[in-house]
Amino acid sequence: MKNHSFTNLASFGKRIEHYLIGQMLKEGLDVYLPVVDDKGIDAVVRRPDGTFVEVQIKARSKNVIDGDAALFAAIEHEHRPNYWFVFYSERLGENGTMWILSSAEFIKESVQNKTGKNAGKRTIWFNGKKKGVEYVKPQFEKYIRTDFQRIINELSE
């Protein structure tokens, strides 16, 4: 069997989606999965107050190019209330690192590409590299989480 890198990347992303959704379920969240994978919604979560939020999960493998452990690029996104991003880097941290941002936070912290084939899409780069070692940029440490309570307890603007 041939080892196709796109297939491996796509299956890695889906595996991490299911892993993180499993973690949400383990925390007692009510999680619903769309049948169709479009509009950037990987999961819908019901909050204890009965409201729902949409969640998009993005993951980076430990096998990405050195320096790109937490680079998430070419993301189409316009502000959406009740919408959260969960970003996960397998390589950063002992057990990976997860950042949770609201739609508004993502827009504030990301860069919108001005030219090229990805013009209008957004990029966020949570990590830097010094002396050959990748690290989380200090301005993004506030978004690091080990659970999903932000999604449950905080209002997204």
Side-chain angles (χ1 to χ4, degrees), residues 60-71:
R60 292 291 278 176
S61 157
K62 64 183 173 194
N63 299 321
V64 297
I65 296 169
D66 195 34
D68 289 355
L71 168 63

Side-chain angles (χ1 to χ4, degrees), residues 72-127:
F72 299 90
I75 299 172
E76 289 187 45
H77 185 69
E78 298 292 330
H79 179 261
R80 291 159 74 173
N82 300 319
Y83 189 90
W84 293 86
F85 284 93
V86 175
F87 295 97
Y88 177 83
S89 171
E90 182 181 45
R91 190 161 67 212
L92 291 178
E94 188 174 318
N95 296 311
T97 299
M98 178 175 70
W99 298 264
I100 298 179
L101 286 80
S102 69
S103 174
E105 290 167 337
F106 174 71
I107 289 170
K108 177 183 164 213
E109 300 286 3
S110 64
V111 174
Q112 190 166 32
N113 303 332
K114 304 288 184 221
T115 61
K117 68 178 184 176
N118 291 319
K121 295 182 182 179
R122 297 188 160 275
T123 298
I124 191 164
W125 205 338
F126 292 105
N127 75 290

Side-chain angles (χ1 to χ4, degrees), residues 11 18 23 33 35 38 59 68 70 82 108 120 125 128 142 153:
S11 63
H18 286 283
Q23 296 293 68
L33 304 181
V35 174
D38 67 356
D68 289 355
N82 300 319
K108 177 183 164 213
W125 205 338
K142 63 186 171 190
N153 295 323

Side-chain angles (χ1 to χ4, degrees), residues 67 70-71 92 99 109 124-129 134-144:
L71 168 63
L92 291 178
W99 298 264
E109 300 286 3
I124 191 164
W125 205 338
F126 292 105
N127 75 290
K129 186 176 173 183
E134 292 173 311
Y135 65 94
V136 175
K137 292 177 182 174
Q139 68 265 33
F140 297 125
E141 290 175 356
K142 63 186 171 190
Y143 299 113
I144 294 175

Side-chain angles (χ1 to χ4, degrees), residues 10-66:
S11 63
F12 171 79
K14 190 54 77 174
R15 283 193 303 271
I16 295 302
E17 278 180 30
H18 286 283
Y19 167 74
L20 293 174
I21 289 165
Q23 296 293 68
M24 291 177 189
L25 293 168
K26 190 174 176 184
E27 286 184 28
L29 278 65
D30 291 330
V31 182
Y32 304 90
L33 304 181
V35 174
V36 178
D37 190 2
D38 67 356
K39 300 189 191 316
I41 303 169
D42 296 316
V44 176
V45 176
R46 182 173 46 184
R47 292 173 149 182
D49 67 2
T51 61
F52 291 88
V53 295
E54 300 165 336
V55 177
Q56 183 172 35
I57 299 168
K58 295 286 190 186
R60 292 291 278 176
S61 157
K62 64 183 173 194
N63 299 321
V64 297
I65 296 169
D66 195 34

